[in-house]
């Protein structure tokens, strides 16, 4: 559905006609631009927008189906940028991602949002409070959306760092993270980092191209050259996020390895204890087995002190084995 539609001239909002074609003509005539925001439009709803703004069919298909990687594509009449905003859920400690597609053309911006990962209304209101930035044209909208998305990445990275510290404290606690759920928690956290990484890492090349179009080919159309430093600043923030993501991924892998090593050591300790107790139980079993064979010619059977002697030997051997295993740390 259409969330918002407005014409911007000299950094100020003016309500335009309901028809997209008339709004675009009016914006071009007045030296402004029109910004249309849509949320999960159907093919029928988006068809009118496609015709009026001459959007490329491949980009339209991506915008409708979603599930795209962050990317920047150049078409004859527009630029197409895909971003994946992320949301951190503190109750479940999970990361979920949405998608924002931005069509940037001559005097128009069309944004398509999927999921709840990005409140573009907040970005729009912030821009409307900064008329000097908004007066830069459609490029200012592209910058503001990218900047808000990457800034939220930093917040999510901080939340994940806190979760990782808690997980680390659990694993290296005195009981060694002995809970049967510890391994599943570590693996679940690694999946959250992977989900976050899928949103942040592929965005680096598009921002690099926006910051320095000449580095990878021809200059980008519809992008104000004066916006390069702004996109470079967003790229620097994204680089910090990606470094944080790489660090989180390495640390959680190390924590998982440490947890598995602890579990292996604990199992070895348990096996040593079981073996020690089994060895101690074998002595009376062996002696009882010998004297329970009922042979006729066993002189010990007729001794008066046979029974207390056997009990004493058992006790002495048990004490000897116990002290030996205790000294070696098996018990």
């Amino acid at each position: 559905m259409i969330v918002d539609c407005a014409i911007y001239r000299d950094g100020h909002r003016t309500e335009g006609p309901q028809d997209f074609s008339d709004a675009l003509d009016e914006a071009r005539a007045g030296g402004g631009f029109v910004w249309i925001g849509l949320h999960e439009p159907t093919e029928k709803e988006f068809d009118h927008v496609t015709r009026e703004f001459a959007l490329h069919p491949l980009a339209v298909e991506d915008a409708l189906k979603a599930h795209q990687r962050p990317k920047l594509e150049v078409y004859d009449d527009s630029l197409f940028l895909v971003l994946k905003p992320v949301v951190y859920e503190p109750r479940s400690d999970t990361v979920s991602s949405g998608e924002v597609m931005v069509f940037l053309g001559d005097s128009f911006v069309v944004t398509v949002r999927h999921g709840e990962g990005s409140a573009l209304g907040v970005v729009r209101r912030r821009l409307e409070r900064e008329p000097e930035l908004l007066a830069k044209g459609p490029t200012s909208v592209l910058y503001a959306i990218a900047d808000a998305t990457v800034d939220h990445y930093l917040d999510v990275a901080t939340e994940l760092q806190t979760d990782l510290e808690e997980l680390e404290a659990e694993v290296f606690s005195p009981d060694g993270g002995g809970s049967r759920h510890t391994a599943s928690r570590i693996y679940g956290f690694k999946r959250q980092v992977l989900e976050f990484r899928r949103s942040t890492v592929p965005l680096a090349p598009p921002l690099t191209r926006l910051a320095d179009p000449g580095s990878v080919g021809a200059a980008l159309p519809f992008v104000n050259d004066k916006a390069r430093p702004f996109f470079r600043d967003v790229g620097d923030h994204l680089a910090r996020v990606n470094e944080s993501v790489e660090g989180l991924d390495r640390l959680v892998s190390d924590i998982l390895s440490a947890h598995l090593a602890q579990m292996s050591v604990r199992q070895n300790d348990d096996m040593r204890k079981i073996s020690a107790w089994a060895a101690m139980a074998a002595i009376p079993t062996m002696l009882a087995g010998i004297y329970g064979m009922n042979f006729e010619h066993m002189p010990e059977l007729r001794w008066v002190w046979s029974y207390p002697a056997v009990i004493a030997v058992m006790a002495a051997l048990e004490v000897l084995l116990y002290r030996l295993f205790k000294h070696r740390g098996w018990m």
Side-chain angles (χ1 to χ4, degrees):
M1 64 178 181
I2 299 175
V3 178
D4 201 351
C5 176
I7 295 175
Y8 295 90
R9 295 190 186 91
D10 299 324
H12 297 283
R13 175 175 179 142
T14 60
E15 298 301 330
Q18 295 296 323
D19 185 80
F20 297 149
S21 180
D22 294 339
L24 183 58
D25 292 339
E26 184 177 330
R28 286 173 173 168
F33 68 95
V34 60
W35 179 4
I36 300 172
L38 302 100
H39 179 239
E40 297 182 355
T42 64
E43 184 174 353
K44 183 178 180 181
E45 291 172 336
F46 202 58
D47 185 59
H48 185 46
V49 179
T50 302
R51 292 195 309 270
E52 294 297 338
F53 295 97
L55 304 179
H56 196 279
L58 292 178
V60 170
E61 181 182 358
D62 290 344
L64 290 173
K65 292 185 177 180
H67 304 295
Q68 303 295 318
R69 284 166 53 91
K71 61 181 180 178
L72 175 65
E73 295 181 351
V74 181
Y75 297 103
D76 293 337
D77 298 316
S78 64
L79 288 181
F80 180 61
L81 176 67
V82 178
L83 303 121
K84 291 182 72 68
V86 296
V87 174
Y88 176 82
E89 297 292 343
R91 293 183 179 179
S92 57
D93 295 335
T94 57
V95 172
S96 59
S97 61
E99 290 186 41
V100 171
M101 287 80 168
V102 183
F103 294 88
L104 186 74
D106 179 21
S107 302
F108 72 86
V109 179
V110 176
T111 55
V112 181
R113 180 167 61 92
H114 291 268
E116 302 299 327
S118 176
L120 293 183
V122 176
V123 177
R124 188 187 288 263
R125 290 191 293 272
R126 192 191 79 180
L127 270 175
E128 290 174 355
R129 292 194 298 267
E130 301 181 27
E132 292 183 0
L133 178 60
L134 194 55
K136 303 295 183 182
T139 305
S140 63
V141 177
L142 185 67
Y143 158 72
I145 295 174
D147 184 53
T149 301
V150 173
D151 282 349
H152 194 60
Y153 286 165
L154 292 169
D155 297 335
V156 174
T158 301
E159 295 289 348
L160 289 175
Q161 183 65 43
T162 301
D163 288 346
L164 180 63
E165 291 172 357
E166 294 175 356
L167 193 59
E168 190 176 25
E170 177 182 340
V171 170
F172 294 104
S173 61
D175 62 356
S179 172
R180 67 179 64 183
H181 302 296
T182 301
S184 61
R185 281 196 61 198
I186 296 173
Y187 182 73
F189 183 83
K190 191 170 181 65
R191 287 188 63 86
Q192 303 310 314
V193 174
L194 178 61
E195 178 69 20
F196 189 33
R197 187 174 183 174
R198 287 171 178 166
S199 300
T200 64
V201 173
L203 184 57
L207 286 180
T208 299
R209 191 174 181 187
L210 287 168
D212 188 8
S215 62
V216 289
L220 293 174
F222 314 116
V223 176
N224 193 327
D225 290 339
K226 295 181 180 179
R228 291 183 186 179
F230 295 94
F231 286 112
R232 191 156 47 243
D233 180 67
V234 177
D236 290 342
H237 291 175
L238 181 65
R240 288 172 50 196
V241 172
N242 285 334
E243 288 174 0
S244 179
V245 171
E246 292 292 337
L248 289 170
D249 190 50
R250 287 195 301 268
L251 283 174
V252 74
S253 297
D254 292 342
I255 289 175
L256 180 59
S257 299
H259 174 68
L260 295 177
Q262 286 180 328
M263 296 298 293
S264 178
V265 170
R266 187 175 296 108
Q267 289 176 350
N268 290 337
D269 289 341
D270 293 340
M271 288 302 299
R272 283 200 299 264
K273 292 177 181 179
I274 294 172
S275 300
W277 284 110
M280 294 178 64
I283 291 175
T285 302
M286 179 188 68
L287 294 177
I290 291 174
Y291 286 100
M293 289 187 291
N294 297 321
F295 291 133
E296 292 184 3
H297 303 287
M298 293 184 69
E300 297 86 354
L301 296 178
R302 301 182 182 277
W303 291 356
V304 177
W305 298 100
S306 292
Y307 177 73
V310 170
I311 296 298
V313 170
M314 288 183 182
L317 291 176
E318 292 291 328
V319 171
L320 179 63
L321 283 179
Y322 180 81
R323 295 185 64 181
L324 177 63
F325 293 148
K326 192 74 173 177
H327 178 71
R328 291 185 177 182
W330 288 21
M331 301 186 71

